[in-house]
């Protein structure tokens, strides 16, 4: 056992005890976070505008601070971007994480000296919890890779600007620097396909033990490795022990990954975002990710089916229930206040509080009143894959409200298969059956002959990659939306694949 592996075990035990302490006192922990946030921000422009000096209770907060999304907070963010001090949080941010919004154009999410360490600690603690639970440490002596955006940054009015994953790359602990891959030069390559090719060249002969990234982009990396080495990933990297992922539900990719790897590999799911590192999988034996209640973020929840009402009821952590679909709001030590991050979550446990991401509040299909959400289509494709053995690369779903004359409307599933099956009828029926079991509205519409059975449209190999490239979102932290309530994505996709 090396000094590094021994040290990792000792450190893991210490960190797990700290986590257990706040996780077993969730309400008190959140009350302390809330009080600290209000006190620190009371003299900011936002705090003055929203009477922070008079806020003593959560009820005071809800009366003074409305729910906002980025567009509604933008007037304050623009002042920060312009270089003004003490707007949303004391001083100026260390960084802006630049993301691409669907309606707001470029979004600038502040990262402060108070918030930045929480991103780093959460990623570290996820691995330490794995070590503490399993006792496995051999992987810490091997090579590790995170498929991420470029760490190069620009500057805007004295504040560094970059992608979140690239910013975090500057915070890799010294004790992991020798293990970290790829090289700085390769990590800075902007073109995603060139970058993956360079990463393959650098890693193909290494002892890779930890691999991390968003599943569809890791899949691309694995496929290129396999083509070069003519081996499964498990044969090529005999010490590969841990796959760390986030961003999308892994289940639709699971069968494909198992074939590419050739054996089982442990996984850790993360829930990071520019707005905060919200949760990570702290146990291999429990469903869901541990919500980070002590990390400078105060959480609120609104039932998803009430969210678009005029004054939806806002709930704190002690009021949530298992299995209910909630829109998650955050107030943070980066200066976001009652901020709608756009995600919906469901709790799998309340002792401690663990969540799964169930979708996006704006990503749903309800063209006919069916209220289908991301978690349901993910489960349906998982059930279809398990029942048929068919493997896929990616998929997206959209309604067809203007079918051919004489046809009923339907949901159209665009699926890129690993190998296009000769007969997709069984997969169609399995997906349909799963969706009807999960969603009574959808079942009623099928039963009442308002909708017909879903249709699967095969997408040629690399069709989704070509689509993402065409909209400037190939690689990095970009994700293909699982479902849409219109056909904007699939119409663009169809144009590309029909060329």
């Amino acid at each position: 056992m090396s000094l590094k592996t021994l040290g990792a075990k000792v450190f893991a035990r210490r960190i797990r005890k700290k986590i257990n302490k706040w996780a077993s006192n969730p309400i008190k922990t959140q009350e302390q976070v809330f009080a600290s946030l209000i006190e620190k921000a009371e003299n900011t422009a936002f705090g003055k505008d929203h009477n922070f000096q008079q806020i003593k209770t959560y009820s005071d907060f809800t009366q003074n601070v409305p729910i906002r999304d980025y567009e509604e907070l933008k007037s304050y963010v623009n002042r920060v971007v312009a270089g003004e001090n003490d707007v949303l949080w004391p001083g100026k941010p260390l960084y802006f994480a630049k993301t691409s919004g669907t309606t707001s154009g470029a979004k600038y999410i502040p990262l402060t000296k108070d918030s930045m360490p929480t991103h780093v600690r959460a990623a570290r603690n996820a691995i330490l919890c794995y070590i503490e639970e399993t006792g496995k440490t051999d992987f810490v002596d091997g090579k590790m890779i995170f498929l991420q955006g470029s760490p190069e940054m620009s500057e805007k009015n004295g504040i560094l600007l970059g992608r979140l994953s690239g910013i975090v790359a500057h915070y890799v602990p010294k004790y992991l620097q020798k293990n970290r891959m790829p090289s700085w030069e390769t990590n800075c390559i902007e073109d995603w396909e060139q970058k993956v090719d360079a990463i393959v060249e650098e890693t193909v002969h290494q002892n890779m033990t930890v691999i991390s990234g968003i599943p569809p982009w890791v899949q691309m990396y694995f496929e290129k490795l396999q083509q070069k080495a003519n081996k499964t990933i498990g044969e090529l990297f005999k010490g590969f022990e841990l796959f760390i992922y986030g961003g999308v539900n892994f289940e639709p990719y699971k069968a494909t990954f198992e074939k590419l790897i050739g054996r089982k590999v442990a996984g850790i799911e993360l829930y990071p975002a520019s707005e905060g590192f919200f949760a990570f999988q702290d146990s291999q034996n429990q469903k869901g990710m541990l919500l980070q209640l002590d990390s400078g973020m105060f959480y609120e929840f609104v039932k998803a089916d009430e969210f678009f009402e005029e004054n939806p009821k806002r709930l704190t952590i002690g009021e949530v229930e298992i299995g209910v679909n909630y829109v998650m709001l955050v107030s943070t030590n980066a200066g976001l206040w009652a901020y709608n991050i756009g995600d919906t979550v469901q709790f799998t446990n309340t002792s401690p509080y663990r969540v799964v991401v169930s979708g996006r509040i704006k990503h749903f299909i309800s063209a006919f009143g069916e209220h289908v959400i991301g978690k349901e289509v993910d489960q349906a494709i998982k059930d279809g894959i398990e029942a048929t053995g068919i493997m896929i690369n990616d998929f997206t779903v959209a309604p067809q409200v203007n079918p051919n004359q004489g046809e009923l409307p339907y949901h159209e599933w665009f699926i890129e298969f690993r190998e296009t099956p000769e007969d997709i009828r069984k997969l169609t029926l399995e997906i349909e059956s799963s969706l009807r079991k999960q969603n009574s509205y959808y079942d009623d519409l099928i039963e009442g002959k308002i909708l017909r059975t879903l249709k699967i449209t095969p997408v040629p190999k690399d069709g989704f990659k070509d689509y993402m490239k065409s909209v400037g979102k190939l690689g990095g932290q970009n994700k293909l939306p699982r479902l849409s309530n219109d056909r904007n994505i699939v119409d663009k996709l169809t144009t590309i694949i029909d060329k």
Side-chain angles (χ1 to χ4, degrees):
M1 181 181 290
S2 70
L3 285 175
K4 187 184 286 188
T5 59
L6 180 61
K9 281 192 173 183
V10 173
F11 192 33
R13 282 195 295 271
R14 192 171 79 191
I15 293 299
R16 183 77 243 195
K17 285 181 180 179
K18 287 185 177 181
I19 291 172
N20 288 345
K21 186 175 181 179
W22 61 254
S24 61
N25 292 280
I27 295 174
K28 182 180 178 182
T29 298
Q30 278 285 276
E31 287 174 347
Q32 291 171 339
V33 169
F34 174 76
S36 175
L37 291 173
I38 298 301
E39 180 183 0
K40 287 184 178 180
E42 67 178 20
N43 292 318
T44 62
F46 188 94
K48 291 175 181 176
D49 290 347
H50 295 82
N51 305 310
F52 274 25
Q53 287 189 338
Q54 279 74 52
I55 292 177
K56 305 301 180 186
T57 66
Y58 173 62
S59 177
D60 294 339
F61 181 75
T62 60
Q63 290 174 30
N64 284 277
V65 183
I67 297 170
R68 285 181 169 93
D69 59 16
Y70 184 83
E71 197 65 32
E72 292 162 319
L73 196 67
K74 196 173 181 179
S75 62
Y76 287 98
V77 175
N78 286 345
R79 291 166 63 180
V80 183
V81 173
E84 189 176 338
N85 278 304
D86 304 327
V87 179
L88 288 164
W89 192 251
K92 292 182 180 180
L94 293 178
Y95 308 96
F96 288 119
K98 186 178 180 181
T99 66
S100 54
T102 54
T103 59
S104 306
K107 295 165 64 176
Y108 297 90
I109 307 298
L111 297 166
T112 66
K113 65 179 180 180
D114 295 299
S115 71
M116 195 63 230
T118 66
H119 288 266
V120 180
R121 281 199 300 268
R124 178 202 70 186
N125 290 354
I127 298 175
L128 292 175
C129 284
Y130 173 80
I131 291 172
E132 196 277 334
E133 182 180 51
T134 66
K136 296 179 179 179
T137 55
D138 288 348
F139 67 88
V140 304
D141 288 323
K143 296 291 185 179
M144 306 178 185
I145 189 171
F146 177 57
L147 297 178
Q148 59 191 180
S150 171
E152 289 189 312
M153 289 185 279
S154 57
E155 192 174 291
K156 201 169 185 71
N157 295 319
I159 301 172
L160 293 171
L161 171 69
R163 299 170 184 168
L164 175 66
S165 61
I167 293 169
V168 172
H170 291 265
Y171 288 81
V172 174
K174 287 185 178 180
Y175 58 84
L176 290 181
Q177 291 288 357
K178 290 183 179 180
N179 303 64
R180 173 190 177 189
M181 298 196 76
S183 65
W184 182 268
E185 293 74 20
T186 293
N187 224 6
C188 290
I189 296 173
E190 284 292 342
D191 183 276
W192 184 253
E193 290 175 289
Q194 290 180 18
K195 182 172 185 170
V196 174
D197 287 338
I199 291 172
V200 168
E201 293 299 323
E202 286 191 7
T203 58
V204 68
H205 300 300
Q206 296 292 333
N207 175 31
M208 303 302 302
T209 57
V210 179
I211 296 172
S212 179
I214 293 178
W217 308 128
V218 176
Q219 182 175 316
M220 181 191 295
Y221 167 58
F222 282 174
E223 289 171 343
K224 287 179 178 285
L225 278 170
Q226 195 173 59
Q227 290 169 7
K228 183 173 181 63
N230 198 29
K231 294 179 179 178
T232 66
I233 305 305
E235 292 171 327
L236 183 63
F237 301 142
K238 291 184 169 54
F240 178 29
E241 179 178 328
L242 197 54
F243 174 46
I244 303 174
Y245 61 92
V248 298
N249 190 326
F250 180 57
E251 290 299 331
Y253 302 95
K254 191 172 182 179
T256 297
F257 268 67
E258 287 182 356
K259 184 173 182 180
L260 285 167
I261 297 169
R263 57 181 169 82
K264 298 277 188 181
V265 170
I268 299 176
E269 185 175 8
L270 309 179
Y271 184 11
S274 300
E275 296 86 353
F277 202 127
F278 302 123
F280 63 79
Q281 182 180 349
D282 68 315
S283 173
Q284 295 291 299
N285 303 311
Q286 300 291 327
K287 184 180 180 182
M289 296 173 283
L290 184 69
L291 194 64
Q292 297 298 283
L293 300 177
D294 76 327
S295 296
M297 295 178 287
F298 177 71
Y299 298 91
E300 299 175 82
F301 304 90
V302 177
K303 290 182 178 179
D305 57 7
E306 298 176 3
F307 185 73
F308 293 106
E309 295 178 1
E310 188 171 345
N311 290 301
K313 183 173 175 57
R314 293 155 66 173
L315 307 172
T316 57
I317 193 68
E319 300 172 286
V320 298
E321 301 172 43
I322 292 172
V324 176
N325 207 35
Y326 294 106
V327 176
M328 190 166 79
L329 314 175
V330 292
S331 297
T332 76
N333 54 11
L336 302 177
W337 301 101
Y339 185 87
N340 169 25
I341 62 172
D343 288 342
T344 58
V345 301
Q346 292 182 5
F347 285 87
T348 61
N349 201 324
T350 55
S351 182
Y353 284 89
R354 293 193 178 98
V355 297
V356 293
V357 180
S358 53
R360 299 279 292 170
I361 189 60
K362 292 184 179 179
H363 289 178
F364 58 87
I365 299 178
S366 198
F368 312 95
E370 60 271 49
H371 307 295
V372 170
I373 63 173
K375 184 175 182 289
E376 292 167 347
V377 299
D378 280 338
Q379 184 63 47
I381 196 78
K382 174 179 180 285
D383 291 343
I385 289 168
E386 289 179 348
T388 63
I390 293 171
M391 290 183 288
I392 70 165
N393 288 334
D394 222 331
F395 75 98
T396 192
V397 189
Q400 177 51 272
V401 298
N402 296 306
N404 295 329
Q405 188 172 1
E407 287 187 347
L408 291 173
Y410 55 89
H411 286 189
E412 189 168 10
W413 289 60
F414 290 77
I415 301 177
E416 182 179 327
F417 295 97
R418 289 280 293 168
E419 295 179 7
T420 303
E422 293 183 5
D423 185 359
I424 59 176
R425 286 178 298 176
K426 181 171 174 53
L427 179 63
T428 301
L429 294 175
E430 292 291 344
I431 293 173
E432 181 83 344
S433 174
S434 176
L435 202 53
R436 291 181 69 173
K437 287 176 183 175
Q438 295 180 78
N439 188 305
S440 60
Y441 300 110
Y442 182 75
D443 183 56
D444 288 344
L445 290 168
I446 296 291
E447 189 70 29
K449 295 185 168 42
I450 306 299
L451 294 179
R452 53 163 270 203
T453 298
L454 66 87
K455 176 185 176 183
I456 291 178
T457 297
V459 174
K461 181 173 172 53
D462 294 332
F464 285 118
K465 184 183 79 173
D466 292 341
Y467 164 76
M468 295 294 279
K469 185 188 294 185
S470 75
V471 296
K473 293 187 176 183
L474 182 64
Q477 301 304 107
N478 297 308
K479 299 159 283 189
L480 176 73
R482 281 282 176 257
L483 71 174
S484 310
N485 203 37
D486 54 46
R487 294 184 65 82
N488 293 338
I489 291 175
V490 299
D491 283 347
K492 176 75 170 174
L493 175 67
T494 301
T495 301
I496 291 168
I497 64 181
D498 284 346
K499 284 183 179 177

